[in-house]
Amino acid sequence: MTRVHKPISLTRYLIEEQREKGVIKPDLRLLIEVVARACKTIATQINKGDLGGVLGNVGSINVQGEVQKKLDVLSNEILLEANEWGGHLAAIASEEMDDPYPIPHRYPKGEYLLVFDPLDGSSNIDVNVSVGTIFSVLKAPEGVTEPKPEDFLQPGTKQVAAGYTVYGPSTVLVLTVGDGTHMFTLDREQGSFVLTEMNVRIPEDTAEFAINMSNMRHWEVPVKRYIDELLAGKTGPRGKDFNMRWVASMVADVHRILTRGGVFMYPVDAKCRDKGGRLRLMYEANPMAFIVEQAGGGATDGHIRILERQPLALHERVPVFLGSKNEVALVTSYHRD
Ligand code: F6P
């Protein structure tokens, strides 16, 4: 990981990626800037907390069967409003909405599809713990101007950009356009995201894991075996002690792993088997897998690379194992056994 000393704004980073490396097109740059701007607005709302009247539930249930928080709804609206008029998108899909959101006819349309989880880890909102926004960008299939749900069903390898913003003690936007993973910290006085870590690298080995241990009795054999071995510590087959962390906010857990390594797991278990897992492929697993792989880590569903899974439904759920390469490879190999 390279710590950056010269202040480079997100805008400048994107322009240079476009001009010097040709990695991104002008419309994609605009799209990322608009998402970043929406994330600044969301950060401001989160920051107000109880003073802004943004805590608590709205009383409705989303397509995932979860109780919607006021901030879930607000963040969704902020992202929709910011993105619908710029002319860079063909359609938007959100974890909070049953169907894709078409770009209103009064605005021009572009070639990209934007997919997001407006506020991930929302059970943490009311207790003042880190939450985040996750996003992924795909291209609309050639010639499609009115995208339908099936037009979004592209494997994660097709993503042209992915990122998340973690709203923690500081607000940090993490981005990949397929040219490494980079971190931008929000400078509140300047009102802009500034490049602070370039080419993040996740250590291949780790002594830290993240999993919801309360689900242990529901796990399948390979996961139980892997965690038992970690818990056995120095005197067990792994010959070293492991530490555990679980924030229950995927963005915060993944951010820790990008910063100092670790392995994050949300396996399929008896509780969520009928749904296919807990986390969403399009809104959570795919963007995180892209970010983690670009930082040298691994990301599988226990069997194959997450990025190679062919999505079958917009709100599909999947098992997730991601982070330090060697640990992800080991727990994946146990599934094969
Ligand atoms: O989207 C789901 C999510 O909130 C993730 O951010 C997080 O990793 C997970 O659920 C927490 O799950 P649990 O409630 O089982 O701890």
Side-chain angles (χ1 to χ4, degrees), residues 203-214:
E204 290 185 0
D205 293 300
T206 182
E208 203 161 67
F209 68 97
I211 194 165
N212 184 342
M213 290 289 291
S214 71

Side-chain angles (χ1 to χ4, degrees), residues 66 95 117 120-123 212 215 246 248-251 253 264 266 278-280 284:
E66 295 160 350
E95 198 207 63
D117 177 355
D120 186 65
S122 49
S123 69
N212 184 342
N215 291 329
W246 184 248
S249 169
M250 189 191 194
V251 175
D253 280 314
F264 170 94
Y266 215 120
R278 168 81 160 94
L279 302 177
R280 271 65 35 147
E284 295 168 314

Side-chain angles (χ1 to χ4, degrees), residues 8-313:
I8 297 173
S9 66
L10 175 65
T11 303
R12 178 167 169 188
Y13 165 80
L14 292 171
I15 288 176
E16 286 177 357
E17 285 287 294
Q18 178 193 325
R19 199 173 49 204
E20 287 165 21
K21 297 196 191 161
V23 181
I24 54 173
K25 292 195 195 169
D27 260 15
L28 180 59
R29 170 166 74 80
L30 176 66
L31 192 167
I32 294 168
E33 291 220 57
V34 172
V35 171
R37 201 164 60 228
C39 288
K40 278 190 254 175
T41 310
I42 297 171
T44 306
Q45 295 300 330
I46 291 174
N47 238 241
K48 288 183 186 159
D50 227 357
L51 294 175
V54 294
L55 304 187
N57 301 335
V58 277
S60 49
I61 306 282
N62 68 8
V63 57
Q64 318 290 342
E66 295 160 350
V67 176
Q68 282 186 304
K69 302 267 178 193
K70 284 186 195 163
L71 265 172
D72 283 327
V73 176
L74 188 62
S75 307
N76 195 50
E77 279 167 10
I78 291 170
L79 280 156
L80 290 181
E81 276 169 19
N83 281 286
E84 64 179 2
W85 51 268
H88 47 277
L89 287 177
I92 300 173
S94 162
E95 198 207 63
E96 293 297 326
M97 301 185 303
D98 298 23
D99 298 311
Y101 177 85
I103 299 302
H105 288 300
R106 59 185 181 281
Y107 300 124
K109 287 203 184 129
E111 59 175 331
Y112 294 107
L113 301 173
L114 175 64
V115 178
F116 53 71
D117 177 355
L119 208 70
D120 186 65
S122 49
S123 69
N124 280 328
I125 294 169
D126 295 346
V127 291
N128 204 12
V129 172
S130 298
V131 287
T133 298
I134 310 174
F135 67 94
S136 153
V137 185
L138 295 159
K139 274 195 172 169
E142 200 71 32
V144 173
T145 49
E146 306 278 333
K148 301 197 171 48
E150 52 272 28
D151 295 316
F152 284 82
L153 304 183
Q154 306 177 30
T157 47
K158 298 269 183 195
Q159 292 173 105
V160 292
Y164 67 78
T165 300
V166 57
Y167 310 106
S170 56
T171 294
V172 180
L173 184 146
V174 176
L175 176 72
T176 184
V177 292
D179 183 29
T181 293
H182 313 289
M183 294 185 180
F184 301 82
T185 304
L186 180 60
D187 179 336
R188 286 183 188 273
E189 278 137 47
Q190 302 294 327
S192 57
F193 281 105
V194 177
L195 182 61
T196 39
E197 303 286 349
M198 245 178 113
N199 287 319
V200 174
R201 300 308 290 169
I202 300 175
E204 290 185 0
D205 293 300
T206 182
E208 203 161 67
F209 68 97
I211 194 165
N212 184 342
M213 290 289 291
S214 71
N215 291 329
M216 190 173 219
R217 69 188 187 287
H218 304 295
W219 291 341
E220 291 179 339
V221 176
V223 177
K224 180 93 173 50
R225 170 184 171 195
Y226 176 69
I227 298 293
D228 280 347
E229 290 182 3
L230 301 190
L231 294 178
K234 255 198 189 110
T235 52
R238 300 298 305 273
K240 69 175 183 182
D241 289 335
F242 283 79
N243 195 7
M244 197 201 89
R245 289 284 181 272
W246 184 248
V247 184
S249 169
M250 189 191 194
V251 175
D253 280 314
V254 170
H255 197 67
R256 184 187 59 253
I257 287 169
L258 280 175
T259 308
R260 66 177 190 214
V263 55
F264 170 94
M265 290 157 279
Y266 215 120
V268 67
D269 61 31
K271 246 169 73 184
C272 61
R273 187 166 301 119
D274 52 333
K275 292 182 181 161
R278 168 81 160 94
L279 302 177
R280 271 65 35 147
L281 175 59
M282 305 289 295
Y283 309 104
E284 295 168 314
N286 266 345
M288 289 310 198
F290 190 18
I291 291 166
V292 163
E293 283 199 4
Q294 283 293 314
T300 75
D301 63 1
H303 299 276
I304 59 164
R305 270 172 85 208
I306 286 172
L307 294 182
E308 285 175 4
R309 271 183 78 120
Q310 172 61 48
L312 301 174

